[in-house]
Amino acid sequence: MTETGSEPPPMNIGRVEPRLIEREMSESYLTYALSVIHSRALPDVRDGLKPSQRRILVAMNDLRLRPNSKYRKCANIAGTTSGDYHPHGESVIYPTLVRMAQKFSLRYPLVDGQGNFGSIDGDPPAAMRYTEARMNGEATEMMADLDKETVDYQPNYDERLDEPSVLPGRFPQLLCNGSDGIAVGMATSLPPHNLREVCGAIRAVLADATIDANELCKIVTGPDFPTGGIIMGRRGIHQAYTTGRGRSIVRSRYHVEEARGRSGKEQLVFTEIPYQVRKIGIIDKIVEVVKDGRITGISDVRDESDRDGIRLIVELKKNEDPEVIVKQLFQFTPLQTTLSIINLSIVDGQPRTLSLRGMVDAYIRHRKDVLRRRTRFLLRKAEERKHIVEGLRIAVQNIDEVIRIIRASKDTDEAKGALMAAFALSLAQSQAIVDMRLGRLTGLERDKLEAEYEALLAEIADLEDILRRDERVVAMILEDLDDLEAKYGDDRRTEISAEEVDGSFDIEELITEEMMVVTFSRDGYVKRTGLDTYRAQGRGGRGVKGSESKEGDAIRSLFIAGTHDYVLCFSNLGKVYWLKVYQLPEGGRTSKGRAIRNLLELAAGEVIHSVLRVQSFDTERVVVFATKKGTVKKTALEAYSRPKKTGIRAIALEEEDEVVSVALAQPGDTVLIGSAQGRAVRFDEQAARTMGRVSRGVRGMRLKPDDEVVSMIVLPSDADQTGVTLVTACLNGYGKRTLAADYPIKGRGNQGVINIKVTERNGPVVALRSVVDGDDLMFISQSGMIVRTAVDEMRPMGRNTQGVRLVNLKSDDALVGIEAVSAEDLELEARNNSGEGEATEPGTDATTDPIVAQAAAEAVEDEVDTDTDSDGDED
């Protein structure tokens, strides 16, 4: 109601048609989708251009901006394009113009730009009022014969002008420069290729229409990116070329250099990066993965690129493996990318996915159509000229009569009519005669006229022959290809590697190969620590703290292994589990590690009793088991190479029996079993036959009721000749070193010979290990203390002796195990320690080593004494 109380006047809303909203939205969305597909996102297969690109080139052609002309402001080009052909605003047109001028975006740029057109770092171009441009030679090839009715024209947006619906496309734009775009419900990603290879493929198809995809893939070996790089493998390329869709891995090109002025350090130098990846994005990602700890071996990243090319420097920390770091970079940064190939384009008004052969065929069809239309245009022009020349010949032959008729006529129209009536001429011929100059009547001009007539007859015959014979059109295409290749052909920039990768990495490739000390505790805690953490000390020393065991726990086993080695974990239930050393948690010397139950799927009440280091599962070696009750079993190593997450059966055990030792053996070796009461049995490996994985085994040693097996050692066949010795360690820290040759090789199943005198001072035997001169020994106590001593400091003794003090234990501590460090491992440690201070020599004060001294200082509250002690040698 209005203020006066009267009704408001009715609104003139026009015609209203009820419609279902579902139908209206469906039809409107379909119209929008088709508009995006045809008019914005997808290229035409014939000239390989999107509408915006085509209109920019047409506007530049109108402005006569050819390679030999002066540059013109990009604002002028964008304005002309927007005003005449593409009414979407200059800010939309200019980025398209810029991309067509960027040498890192297009393999063969269509625009020759002058000024700042952006950079591979992602820097934006200057404003269009500052930059200038003109067409490149490749763009003029796209325009060739545009004025000869070779393509259809259509009205522009305001029907003021006509624009070509497609360009003649002499240059194979779609194949050479590719295209990318996202339409509604579909996307295209056509990679660029090398012009020489593309021309070769077109020639091959023209020569043999039945050529298969495999032969074509031998000619076009793969995409060729403007930024170079390396494509890993041909499988994805072949799939894309045969089906129209595929995926390939593209890696950066790099080499390794020694860092300038930094001895011992190396740096990775990347000189080519994947296509459409910005260098600044790579740098930011490297910084990110270094900060979050995914890559730890990088000390610096810097960009030394200049106008001559890319030079991205990744400086490594000292002693880092460049191959490992580069694989980590490929895994976590855009230095390696996955290229998705989708050969989608507009074919006959519809989006279609094409194979390589399909794109080549589309180019050939278009060029044949263009050349035939050009030929028909030239033929029409030649026939029109021939018609005129025929009229001029008639006039010259009857010149006196022609002059008389013209002089007698009142005006030009009357003269043309009289000439048409007198000589049966057409209007065009009579017009040409009236326009003819008197100079054409000379003898020389008459000869020229006859020569032109004969040339026109020959030209017409040649053009008609082209239209009749397809091989003539093919020859013209081949001639164009030769010309294009001579003008614009160049060498490949992207390398195709034979190495096939799927974009994922084996985790081992990202792990540096290094030696580790692997520690297992009795309560099932595991860790790995760098071997160089432990340095040599004198015999009898107290050592440094090796593990911060939880209360009531003790170190059970310690061994040396490489990060890529396998660890076979044998449980008290007779099962075996499979791990890699790098899968174990890394911890410091004093850390207790992580419960192995978190790494393995153990059953209730199941614990890991023994572990075995394996570098490879070969067919010659066998696994030898020894149980607490004296049983031994031998099984082929290969039987344990395919375990499950939940473990597999390793040995069948009697009730209340458990595995105490597992070792590898090969033909010719001998097996030595030692008991807690100081007895030892040595027998040939062949004395125990090879059994299946789940068998029980045979008797290895006959034990007294109060005795049990504590260790098993596999000795090589030449142990007696090479001076291999056995170190026996007892609970109270005493023990000795004895030559292996002192232990006779007898049959299995007996009580054996005396190994060491088990006395109240010594306590029962804890473990036996085989060593040679040059090795080191690590002694592990119940409280987690570790003492490392050179074997050379221990002189060999007889079997029937008490031995000497091996390690100085506290009154409430006990020795629980020993482990040998081989001479080879010591050499590796020395290399790891190079440049970080020399290892302490055997027999010297361990506190002179800075690392050990620091550990000692940290362990004051634990009452750890690092002074050596040479107490109590006693035979």
Short mmCIF file of all heavy atoms in Angstrom, two decimals, residues 473-525:
data_model
loop_
_atom_site.label_atom_id
_atom_site.label_comp_id
_atom_site.label_asym_id
_atom_site.label_seq_id
_atom_site.Cartn_x
_atom_site.Cartn_y
_atom_site.Cartn_z
N VAL A 473 50.65 -32.96 -54.40
CA VAL A 473 50.40 -32.27 -53.12
C VAL A 473 51.37 -32.77 -52.06
O VAL A 473 51.92 -31.99 -51.28
CB VAL A 473 48.94 -32.47 -52.69
CG1 VAL A 473 48.69 -31.78 -51.35
CG2 VAL A 473 47.98 -31.96 -53.74
N VAL A 474 51.60 -34.08 -52.05
CA VAL A 474 52.54 -34.65 -51.09
C VAL A 474 53.94 -34.09 -51.31
O VAL A 474 54.67 -33.76 -50.36
CB VAL A 474 52.54 -36.19 -51.21
CG1 VAL A 474 53.68 -36.79 -50.40
CG2 VAL A 474 51.21 -36.75 -50.74
N ALA A 475 54.32 -33.95 -52.58
CA ALA A 475 55.65 -33.39 -52.88
C ALA A 475 55.77 -31.95 -52.38
O ALA A 475 56.84 -31.54 -51.90
CB ALA A 475 55.90 -33.45 -54.38
N MET A 476 54.68 -31.20 -52.47
CA MET A 476 54.71 -29.82 -51.95
C MET A 476 54.85 -29.80 -50.43
O MET A 476 55.56 -28.95 -49.88
CB MET A 476 53.43 -29.10 -52.39
CG MET A 476 53.31 -28.93 -53.92
SD MET A 476 51.67 -28.42 -54.44
CE MET A 476 51.58 -26.80 -53.76
N ILE A 477 54.17 -30.75 -49.76
CA ILE A 477 54.32 -30.83 -48.29
C ILE A 477 55.75 -31.16 -47.93
O ILE A 477 56.33 -30.58 -47.01
CB ILE A 477 53.34 -31.87 -47.72
CG1 ILE A 477 51.89 -31.43 -47.95
CG2 ILE A 477 53.59 -32.08 -46.23
CD1 ILE A 477 50.86 -32.44 -47.50
N LEU A 478 56.34 -32.11 -48.63
CA LEU A 478 57.73 -32.49 -48.36
C LEU A 478 58.68 -31.32 -48.60
O LEU A 478 59.64 -31.11 -47.85
CB LEU A 478 58.12 -33.68 -49.25
CG LEU A 478 57.40 -35.00 -48.94
CD1 LEU A 478 57.77 -36.05 -49.98
CD2 LEU A 478 57.75 -35.49 -47.55
N GLU A 479 58.41 -30.55 -49.63
CA GLU A 479 59.24 -29.37 -49.91
C GLU A 479 59.12 -28.35 -48.76
O GLU A 479 60.12 -27.76 -48.35
CB GLU A 479 58.81 -28.74 -51.23
CG GLU A 479 59.67 -27.58 -51.66
CD GLU A 479 59.23 -26.99 -52.99
OE1 GLU A 479 58.37 -27.59 -53.65
OE2 GLU A 479 59.74 -25.91 -53.36
N ASP A 480 57.90 -28.18 -48.25
CA ASP A 480 57.71 -27.27 -47.12
C ASP A 480 58.46 -27.77 -45.88
O ASP A 480 59.06 -26.98 -45.15
CB ASP A 480 56.21 -27.14 -46.80
CG ASP A 480 55.46 -26.33 -47.84
OD1 ASP A 480 56.12 -25.62 -48.63
OD2 ASP A 480 54.21 -26.42 -47.88
N LEU A 481 58.43 -29.07 -45.65
CA LEU A 481 59.12 -29.63 -44.49
C LEU A 481 60.63 -29.41 -44.59
O LEU A 481 61.28 -29.08 -43.60
CB LEU A 481 58.82 -31.13 -44.36
CG LEU A 481 57.36 -31.51 -44.03
CD1 LEU A 481 57.21 -33.02 -44.03
CD2 LEU A 481 56.94 -30.93 -42.69
N ASP A 482 61.18 -29.61 -45.79
CA ASP A 482 62.61 -29.36 -45.97
C ASP A 482 62.96 -27.91 -45.68
O ASP A 482 63.99 -27.62 -45.04
CB ASP A 482 63.01 -29.72 -47.41
CG ASP A 482 62.91 -31.21 -47.68
OD1 ASP A 482 62.91 -31.99 -46.71
OD2 ASP A 482 62.82 -31.59 -48.86
N ASP A 483 62.11 -27.00 -46.12
CA ASP A 483 62.36 -25.58 -45.90
C ASP A 483 62.26 -25.23 -44.42
O ASP A 483 63.12 -24.51 -43.88
CB ASP A 483 61.36 -24.75 -46.71
CG ASP A 483 61.62 -23.27 -46.62
OD1 ASP A 483 62.77 -22.85 -46.83
OD2 ASP A 483 60.67 -22.52 -46.30
N LEU A 484 61.24 -25.77 -43.73
CA LEU A 484 61.08 -25.51 -42.30
C LEU A 484 62.26 -26.06 -41.50
O LEU A 484 62.80 -25.39 -40.61
CB LEU A 484 59.78 -26.14 -41.79
CG LEU A 484 58.47 -25.51 -42.24
CD1 LEU A 484 57.29 -26.38 -41.80
CD2 LEU A 484 58.31 -24.11 -41.68
N GLU A 485 62.68 -27.26 -41.84
CA GLU A 485 63.78 -27.88 -41.11
C GLU A 485 65.07 -27.12 -41.32
O GLU A 485 65.88 -26.97 -40.39
CB GLU A 485 63.92 -29.33 -41.56
CG GLU A 485 64.80 -30.17 -40.66
CD GLU A 485 64.74 -31.64 -40.99
OE1 GLU A 485 63.85 -32.04 -41.77
OE2 GLU A 485 65.58 -32.39 -40.46
N ALA A 486 65.28 -26.62 -42.53
CA ALA A 486 66.50 -25.85 -42.81
C ALA A 486 66.50 -24.52 -42.05
O ALA A 486 67.54 -24.06 -41.60
CB ALA A 486 66.62 -25.62 -44.31
N LYS A 487 65.33 -23.91 -41.90
CA LYS A 487 65.25 -22.60 -41.25
C LYS A 487 65.26 -22.69 -39.72
O LYS A 487 65.93 -21.91 -39.05
CB LYS A 487 63.97 -21.87 -41.68
CG LYS A 487 63.98 -21.37 -43.11
CD LYS A 487 62.66 -20.66 -43.41
CE LYS A 487 62.61 -20.10 -44.82
NZ LYS A 487 61.30 -19.47 -45.12
N TYR A 488 64.50 -23.64 -39.17
CA TYR A 488 64.24 -23.63 -37.73
C TYR A 488 64.68 -24.91 -37.00
O TYR A 488 64.56 -24.98 -35.77
CB TYR A 488 62.74 -23.42 -37.47
CG TYR A 488 62.15 -22.30 -38.27
CD1 TYR A 488 61.24 -22.54 -39.31
CD2 TYR A 488 62.51 -20.97 -38.03
CE1 TYR A 488 60.69 -21.51 -40.05
CE2 TYR A 488 61.97 -19.93 -38.78
CZ TYR A 488 61.07 -20.21 -39.79
OH TYR A 488 60.54 -19.19 -40.54
N GLY A 489 65.17 -25.90 -37.73
CA GLY A 489 65.56 -27.15 -37.09
C GLY A 489 66.76 -26.98 -36.17
O GLY A 489 67.67 -26.22 -36.44
N ASP A 490 66.76 -27.71 -35.06
CA ASP A 490 67.89 -27.68 -34.12
C ASP A 490 67.98 -29.04 -33.43
O ASP A 490 67.17 -29.93 -33.66
CB ASP A 490 67.74 -26.56 -33.10
CG ASP A 490 66.44 -26.65 -32.30
OD1 ASP A 490 65.68 -27.62 -32.52
OD2 ASP A 490 66.18 -25.77 -31.46
N ASP A 491 69.00 -29.20 -32.59
CA ASP A 491 69.22 -30.46 -31.91
C ASP A 491 68.29 -30.60 -30.71
O ASP A 491 67.76 -29.61 -30.19
CB ASP A 491 70.68 -30.55 -31.43
CG ASP A 491 71.67 -30.55 -32.59
OD1 ASP A 491 71.29 -31.03 -33.68
OD2 ASP A 491 72.80 -30.06 -32.40
N ARG A 492 68.14 -31.84 -30.27
CA ARG A 492 67.32 -32.12 -29.08
C ARG A 492 67.94 -31.47 -27.85
O ARG A 492 69.15 -31.37 -27.72
CB ARG A 492 67.22 -33.62 -28.82
CG ARG A 492 66.27 -34.37 -29.71
CD ARG A 492 66.07 -35.78 -29.17
NE ARG A 492 65.44 -35.75 -27.87
CZ ARG A 492 64.12 -35.73 -27.67
NH1 ARG A 492 63.31 -35.72 -28.70
NH2 ARG A 492 63.62 -35.70 -26.44
N ARG A 493 67.10 -31.04 -26.94
CA ARG A 493 67.55 -30.50 -25.66
C ARG A 493 67.29 -31.48 -24.51
O ARG A 493 67.98 -31.44 -23.50
CB ARG A 493 66.85 -29.18 -25.36
CG ARG A 493 67.10 -28.10 -26.42
CD ARG A 493 66.37 -26.81 -26.07
NE ARG A 493 66.46 -25.83 -27.15
CZ ARG A 493 65.86 -24.64 -27.14
NH1 ARG A 493 65.13 -24.30 -26.08
NH2 ARG A 493 65.97 -23.83 -28.16
N THR A 494 66.26 -32.30 -24.64
CA THR A 494 65.88 -33.23 -23.58
C THR A 494 66.42 -34.61 -23.90
O THR A 494 66.21 -35.14 -24.99
CB THR A 494 64.35 -33.29 -23.44
OG1 THR A 494 63.86 -31.98 -23.16
CG2 THR A 494 63.95 -34.23 -22.31
N GLU A 495 67.10 -35.20 -22.92
CA GLU A 495 67.64 -36.54 -23.08
C GLU A 495 66.60 -37.58 -22.68
O GLU A 495 65.84 -37.39 -21.74
CB GLU A 495 68.89 -36.70 -22.20
CG GLU A 495 69.51 -38.09 -22.22
CD GLU A 495 70.64 -38.24 -21.23
OE1 GLU A 495 71.17 -37.20 -20.77
OE2 GLU A 495 71.00 -39.38 -20.91
N ILE A 496 66.56 -38.69 -23.43
CA ILE A 496 65.68 -39.81 -23.10
C ILE A 496 66.55 -40.91 -22.50
O ILE A 496 67.36 -41.51 -23.20
CB ILE A 496 64.92 -40.34 -24.33
CG1 ILE A 496 64.26 -39.18 -25.10
CG2 ILE A 496 63.89 -41.37 -23.91
CD1 ILE A 496 63.20 -38.46 -24.34
N SER A 497 66.38 -41.17 -21.21
CA SER A 497 67.18 -42.19 -20.54
C SER A 497 66.54 -43.56 -20.70
O SER A 497 65.31 -43.70 -20.75
CB SER A 497 67.32 -41.86 -19.05
OG SER A 497 67.95 -42.90 -18.35
N ALA A 498 67.37 -44.59 -20.79
CA ALA A 498 66.87 -45.96 -20.88
C ALA A 498 66.39 -46.48 -19.53
O ALA A 498 65.70 -47.49 -19.46
CB ALA A 498 67.96 -46.87 -21.43
N GLU A 499 66.74 -45.79 -18.45
CA GLU A 499 66.36 -46.23 -17.11
C GLU A 499 64.89 -45.93 -16.85
O GLU A 499 64.44 -44.79 -16.97
CB GLU A 499 67.21 -45.52 -16.05
CG GLU A 499 66.88 -45.91 -14.62
CD GLU A 499 67.65 -45.10 -13.61
OE1 GLU A 499 68.52 -44.30 -14.02
OE2 GLU A 499 67.41 -45.28 -12.40
N GLU A 500 64.14 -46.97 -16.53
CA GLU A 500 62.72 -46.82 -16.25
C GLU A 500 62.51 -46.58 -14.76
O GLU A 500 63.02 -47.34 -13.93
CB GLU A 500 61.95 -48.07 -16.68
CG GLU A 500 61.93 -48.33 -18.17
CD GLU A 500 60.96 -47.43 -18.91
OE1 GLU A 500 60.19 -46.71 -18.24
OE2 GLU A 500 60.98 -47.45 -20.16
N VAL A 501 61.80 -45.53 -14.42
CA VAL A 501 61.43 -45.28 -13.03
C VAL A 501 59.94 -44.99 -13.00
O VAL A 501 59.34 -44.56 -13.98
CB VAL A 501 62.22 -44.09 -12.43
CG1 VAL A 501 63.69 -44.40 -12.38
CG2 VAL A 501 61.98 -42.82 -13.23
N ASP A 502 59.32 -45.25 -11.85
CA ASP A 502 57.88 -45.05 -11.73
C ASP A 502 57.52 -43.86 -10.85
O ASP A 502 56.36 -43.68 -10.49
CB ASP A 502 57.22 -46.31 -11.17
CG ASP A 502 57.78 -46.72 -9.81
OD1 ASP A 502 58.64 -45.98 -9.29
OD2 ASP A 502 57.36 -47.76 -9.28
N GLY A 503 58.51 -43.05 -10.52
CA GLY A 503 58.25 -41.87 -9.69
C GLY A 503 58.43 -42.11 -8.21
O GLY A 503 58.55 -41.17 -7.44
N SER A 504 58.45 -43.37 -7.79
CA SER A 504 58.71 -43.69 -6.39
C SER A 504 60.14 -44.17 -6.24
O SER A 504 60.79 -44.54 -7.21
CB SER A 504 57.74 -44.78 -5.91
OG SER A 504 57.94 -45.97 -6.65
N PHE A 505 60.62 -44.13 -5.03
CA PHE A 505 62.00 -44.52 -4.76
C PHE A 505 62.02 -45.67 -3.75
O PHE A 505 61.24 -45.68 -2.80
CB PHE A 505 62.80 -43.34 -4.19
CG PHE A 505 63.20 -42.33 -5.22
CD1 PHE A 505 62.33 -41.33 -5.57
CD2 PHE A 505 64.43 -42.40 -5.84
CE1 PHE A 505 62.69 -40.39 -6.51
CE2 PHE A 505 64.79 -41.47 -6.78
CZ PHE A 505 63.93 -40.46 -7.12
N ASP A 506 62.90 -46.61 -4.00
CA ASP A 506 63.21 -47.59 -2.97
C ASP A 506 63.87 -46.83 -1.82
O ASP A 506 64.82 -46.08 -2.03
CB ASP A 506 64.15 -48.66 -3.53
CG ASP A 506 64.43 -49.77 -2.53
OD1 ASP A 506 64.06 -49.61 -1.35
OD2 ASP A 506 65.01 -50.78 -2.93
N ILE A 507 63.32 -47.03 -0.64
CA ILE A 507 63.82 -46.27 0.50
C ILE A 507 65.32 -46.46 0.70
O ILE A 507 66.02 -45.56 1.17
CB ILE A 507 63.05 -46.67 1.79
CG1 ILE A 507 63.42 -45.74 2.94
CG2 ILE A 507 63.29 -48.12 2.13
CD1 ILE A 507 63.04 -44.32 2.76
N GLU A 508 65.84 -47.62 0.27
CA GLU A 508 67.27 -47.88 0.44
C GLU A 508 68.11 -46.90 -0.38
O GLU A 508 69.23 -46.58 -0.01
CB GLU A 508 67.60 -49.31 0.03
CG GLU A 508 67.07 -50.35 0.99
CD GLU A 508 67.60 -51.74 0.66
OE1 GLU A 508 68.66 -51.83 0.03
OE2 GLU A 508 66.93 -52.71 1.03
N GLU A 509 67.56 -46.43 -1.51
CA GLU A 509 68.30 -45.48 -2.33
C GLU A 509 68.49 -44.15 -1.62
O GLU A 509 69.36 -43.36 -2.00
CB GLU A 509 67.56 -45.27 -3.65
CG GLU A 509 67.46 -46.53 -4.51
CD GLU A 509 66.72 -46.26 -5.79
OE1 GLU A 509 66.23 -45.12 -5.96
OE2 GLU A 509 66.62 -47.17 -6.63
N LEU A 510 67.67 -43.90 -0.61
CA LEU A 510 67.73 -42.63 0.12
C LEU A 510 68.52 -42.75 1.43
O LEU A 510 68.62 -41.80 2.18
CB LEU A 510 66.32 -42.13 0.42
CG LEU A 510 65.36 -42.07 -0.76
CD1 LEU A 510 64.01 -41.56 -0.31
CD2 LEU A 510 65.91 -41.21 -1.88
N ILE A 511 69.06 -43.95 1.68
CA ILE A 511 69.78 -44.20 2.93
C ILE A 511 71.26 -44.34 2.63
O ILE A 511 71.66 -45.13 1.77
CB ILE A 511 69.27 -45.47 3.63
CG1 ILE A 511 67.76 -45.38 3.88
CG2 ILE A 511 70.03 -45.72 4.91
CD1 ILE A 511 67.37 -44.26 4.80
N THR A 512 72.09 -43.58 3.31
CA THR A 512 73.53 -43.67 3.13
C THR A 512 74.05 -44.99 3.67
O THR A 512 73.67 -45.43 4.75
CB THR A 512 74.23 -42.51 3.86
OG1 THR A 512 73.70 -41.27 3.38
CG2 THR A 512 75.74 -42.55 3.63
N GLU A 513 74.93 -45.63 2.91
CA GLU A 513 75.54 -46.89 3.36
C GLU A 513 76.62 -46.56 4.39
O GLU A 513 77.61 -45.91 4.08
CB GLU A 513 76.16 -47.60 2.16
CG GLU A 513 76.82 -48.92 2.50
CD GLU A 513 75.83 -50.03 2.75
OE1 GLU A 513 74.83 -50.10 2.01
OE2 GLU A 513 76.06 -50.82 3.68
N GLU A 514 76.41 -46.99 5.62
CA GLU A 514 77.38 -46.78 6.68
C GLU A 514 77.24 -47.88 7.72
O GLU A 514 76.21 -48.54 7.81
CB GLU A 514 77.19 -45.41 7.33
CG GLU A 514 75.81 -45.16 7.91
CD GLU A 514 75.67 -43.78 8.48
OE1 GLU A 514 76.70 -43.21 8.90
OE2 GLU A 514 74.55 -43.26 8.55
N MET A 515 78.32 -48.07 8.49
CA MET A 515 78.33 -49.11 9.50
C MET A 515 77.70 -48.59 10.80
O MET A 515 77.94 -47.45 11.20
CB MET A 515 79.75 -49.59 9.76
CG MET A 515 80.43 -50.20 8.54
SD MET A 515 79.48 -51.54 7.77
CE MET A 515 79.57 -52.77 9.06
N MET A 516 76.90 -49.46 11.43
CA MET A 516 76.21 -49.09 12.65
C MET A 516 76.45 -50.14 13.71
O MET A 516 76.70 -51.32 13.41
CB MET A 516 74.69 -48.97 12.40
CG MET A 516 74.30 -48.11 11.22
SD MET A 516 74.69 -46.37 11.43
CE MET A 516 73.54 -45.92 12.72
N VAL A 517 76.38 -49.72 14.96
CA VAL A 517 76.37 -50.65 16.09
C VAL A 517 74.90 -50.89 16.45
O VAL A 517 74.19 -49.95 16.83
CB VAL A 517 77.14 -50.08 17.30
CG1 VAL A 517 77.03 -51.03 18.48
CG2 VAL A 517 78.58 -49.84 16.93
N VAL A 518 74.45 -52.12 16.29
CA VAL A 518 73.06 -52.47 16.59
C VAL A 518 73.01 -53.15 17.95
O VAL A 518 73.76 -54.09 18.21
CB VAL A 518 72.48 -53.40 15.50
CG1 VAL A 518 71.04 -53.77 15.83
CG2 VAL A 518 72.55 -52.73 14.14
N THR A 519 72.15 -52.66 18.82
CA THR A 519 72.07 -53.14 20.19
C THR A 519 70.67 -53.63 20.49
O THR A 519 69.69 -52.93 20.22
CB THR A 519 72.44 -52.01 21.18
OG1 THR A 519 73.68 -51.45 20.80
CG2 THR A 519 72.54 -52.55 22.59
N PHE A 520 70.59 -54.86 21.04
CA PHE A 520 69.33 -55.42 21.54
C PHE A 520 69.45 -55.62 23.04
O PHE A 520 70.47 -56.09 23.53
CB PHE A 520 69.03 -56.77 20.87
CG PHE A 520 68.52 -56.66 19.48
CD1 PHE A 520 69.40 -56.60 18.42
CD2 PHE A 520 67.16 -56.62 19.22
CE1 PHE A 520 68.94 -56.50 17.13
CE2 PHE A 520 66.69 -56.52 17.94
CZ PHE A 520 67.57 -56.46 16.88
N SER A 521 68.41 -55.28 23.78
CA SER A 521 68.41 -55.51 25.22
C SER A 521 67.57 -56.72 25.56
O SER A 521 66.79 -57.22 24.75
CB SER A 521 67.86 -54.27 25.95
OG SER A 521 66.44 -54.23 25.85
N ARG A 522 67.72 -57.20 26.79
CA ARG A 522 66.99 -58.39 27.21
C ARG A 522 65.49 -58.15 27.27
O ARG A 522 64.71 -59.08 27.10
CB ARG A 522 67.50 -58.85 28.58
CG ARG A 522 68.92 -59.37 28.55
CD ARG A 522 69.36 -59.92 29.90
NE ARG A 522 70.74 -60.39 29.84
CZ ARG A 522 71.09 -61.60 29.42
NH1 ARG A 522 70.16 -62.45 29.04
NH2 ARG A 522 72.35 -61.96 29.39
N ASP A 523 65.09 -56.92 27.49
CA ASP A 523 63.67 -56.60 27.52
C ASP A 523 63.13 -56.19 26.16
O ASP A 523 62.00 -55.69 26.06
CB ASP A 523 63.39 -55.48 28.53
CG ASP A 523 63.44 -56.01 29.96
OD1 ASP A 523 63.56 -57.24 30.13
OD2 ASP A 523 63.35 -55.19 30.90
N GLY A 524 63.93 -56.39 25.12
CA GLY A 524 63.42 -56.18 23.77
C GLY A 524 63.54 -54.77 23.24
O GLY A 524 62.77 -54.38 22.36
N TYR A 525 64.49 -53.97 23.74
CA TYR A 525 64.72 -52.63 23.20
C TYR A 525 65.84 -52.69 22.17
O TYR A 525 66.85 -53.38 22.38
CB TYR A 525 65.05 -51.64 24.32
CG TYR A 525 63.85 -51.24 25.13
CD1 TYR A 525 63.41 -52.04 26.20
CD2 TYR A 525 63.14 -50.09 24.82
CE1 TYR A 525 62.30 -51.69 26.93
CE2 TYR A 525 62.02 -49.73 25.56
CZ TYR A 525 61.60 -50.53 26.61
OH TYR A 525 60.48 -50.19 27.33
#
